[in-house]
Amino acid sequence: MRASVPERVEQGGGDALRDPLRSKGRPLVIDVDEVMVRGSSVPADIASDLIDRFRAFIAAIAAFLGPQARSRHAADPSGFDPSRAQFDHDVVRFLLQVLGEGRPVYLCSETQPEPFVSAVSQHLGVFTAWAAAPGRQLPAAQREELPPVLRQGFDYIGSAAVVLPDSASRLARPGRSEPSAQVGMRSWLKLFRVHQYAKNAVVLVPLLTAHKFALGSAATSLLAVIAFSLCASGAYILNDLLDVEADRAHPTKRNRPIASGAIPASQAVGAMALALVAAFAIAMSISIEFGGVLLGYFALTTSYSFWLKRIATVDVVVLATLYTVRVIGGAVAISVPMSEWLLAFSLFIFMSLALVKRYIELASQPDGAVLAARGYRVEDKSMIAILAAASGFNAVVIFTLYISSDTVRALYSHPQLLWVGCPILMYWIGRVMLFAQRGLIDDDPVIFALRDRVSWVALGAIGAIMLAAI
């Protein structure tokens, strides 16, 4: 792609025009602020500060648990996190074109501290050298104060307030890429992960298994689904803020609104706060007990985002637990006892799906790679598949034991009909495993199931069998 080239050059304060790419060997000096999109990387950014405080708090706790528990995403001591910066693509392409012409490129700043300028230079990796001199005019106005390499003349892209020596030329920068003033609805829907809300339908499971079909119970369960959905959105946004560096290195996650820069981090923090306030307001309107369950869910998912997801096998256990907490929340919302059978079945079936998700992620990695922000290696793939299958079919075993229990006889007039659901469940689990092995599931097996017509038919058949057994 052709780089944007400055159209106007001021030679030593005059208006002489020349081609900036035809001065072989003439150095180019650029201010650090010119390589970034405005407002994307200021160290004092509110969102960055909040996230760094979160990380510092978790790091203090993790320190008691040993070095293995510490976050791998510690912020740069300069306060600059390259993963949250948005660099101006036009300027970076222009710098690469200048380097291709054989000209040295220097990064400078008269306002930013040295650690910040150094961090930017190291992250981009295109600069010959860098310099920072807060409080001074830079480059120096007097020829004798300049570094020897610049005394023969140089081009400068930066602040108009900087006084240049006669031998220097001021270049008008390439067109600045600005963040969009208005964020599209599609970006907000992606940020909130609205397409993931269907996962919270598991909150309705206790309503069905306890045969609570009254209108009031159904309305309460729906409110519980909304509360979990909004709380999950807040947790997703927090996870995206923390995981933005890994997301930008991922083939599909790099298109997420924060990673792609479609939504600024500061706006994402505000959206997260709004979602969480609404979630807990709804939860407390249901009951204090349900509010406690939702708080526990948020605490666990936050721990997952900060720390637990980086520990192999612990991460999938936590994911399975998070789904199970949704089921528990559904039971608490409508004030029915949580069935131990349903609790065990939920843990094993969701453990299986979480392991399938990790298998899919590992299958997309090249040989010898380590899964970003996770504790898995590609060679773990076969073991993950074995554990996924074992967990899935253990769920089937639990279902068969449930059919033979006294609990079933109290709820169903014809419990023997429930045996028909076992082969359907076995078929579905085997099909998911086979599709994952063939690479036919892109990312999340739960989302795949929600889009898969055969999965809906299987779910409908099991539902019909349970209704017939009542």
Side-chain angles (χ1 to χ4, degrees), residues 22 34 39 69 86 138 192 231 262 325 354 360 365 369 374 387 412 457 469:
R22 290 198 178 170
E34 300 301 308
Q86 297 178 39
L138 195 142
F192 276 77
C231 186
V325 170
I360 294 167
Q365 302 295 317
R374 302 290 191 270
L387 292 175
Y412 295 91
V457 172

Side-chain angles (χ1 to χ4, degrees), residues 20 35-36 49 57 100 122 155-156 158 164 185 188 245 248 260 279 301 331 351 382 424 468:
V35 300
M36 299 179 187
D49 181 65
F57 175 72
Q122 292 178 16
D155 293 334
Y156 174 74
L164 299 177
M185 180 58 67
W188 285 114
E245 183 176 2
R248 285 174 176 165
S260 65
T301 192
M351 178 70 171
S382 58
I424 297 175

Side-chain angles (χ1 to χ4, degrees), residues 74-144:
D76 188 271
S78 69
F80 167 69
D81 185 351
S83 68
R84 287 196 294 270
Q86 297 178 39
F87 294 97
D88 192 305
H89 295 166
D90 289 337
V91 172
V92 174
R93 283 197 297 267
F94 172 66
L95 295 179
L96 291 174
Q97 188 170 348
V98 169
L99 285 172
E101 294 288 327
R103 299 173 57 187
V105 179
Y106 299 91
L107 184 69
C108 71
S109 179
E110 61 173 336
T111 57
Q112 301 289 359
E114 289 188 0
F116 177 79
V117 181
S118 173
V120 174
S121 176
Q122 292 178 16
H123 181 69
L124 289 178
V126 299
F127 299 102
T128 306
W130 61 270
R136 296 180 52 203
Q137 291 180 332
L138 195 142
Q142 300 298 321
R143 180 183 178 90
E144 57 271 16

Side-chain angles (χ1 to χ4, degrees), residues 21 51 69 210 272 333 393 448:
L21 294 177
I51 295 166
M272 177 184 69
F393 283 91
F448 164 78

Side-chain angles (χ1 to χ4, degrees), residues 167-190:
S167 60
S169 304
R170 191 184 304 277
L171 272 62
R173 64 173 318 288
R176 182 182 290 279
S177 302
E178 298 286 358
S180 175
Q182 294 184 345
V183 180
M185 180 58 67
R186 185 175 182 181
S187 294
W188 285 114
L189 294 177
K190 287 179 65 176

Side-chain angles (χ1 to χ4, degrees), residues 323-336:
Y323 276 106
T324 305
V325 170
R326 289 176 170 106
V327 178
I328 295 173
V332 171
I334 59 175
S335 302
V336 298

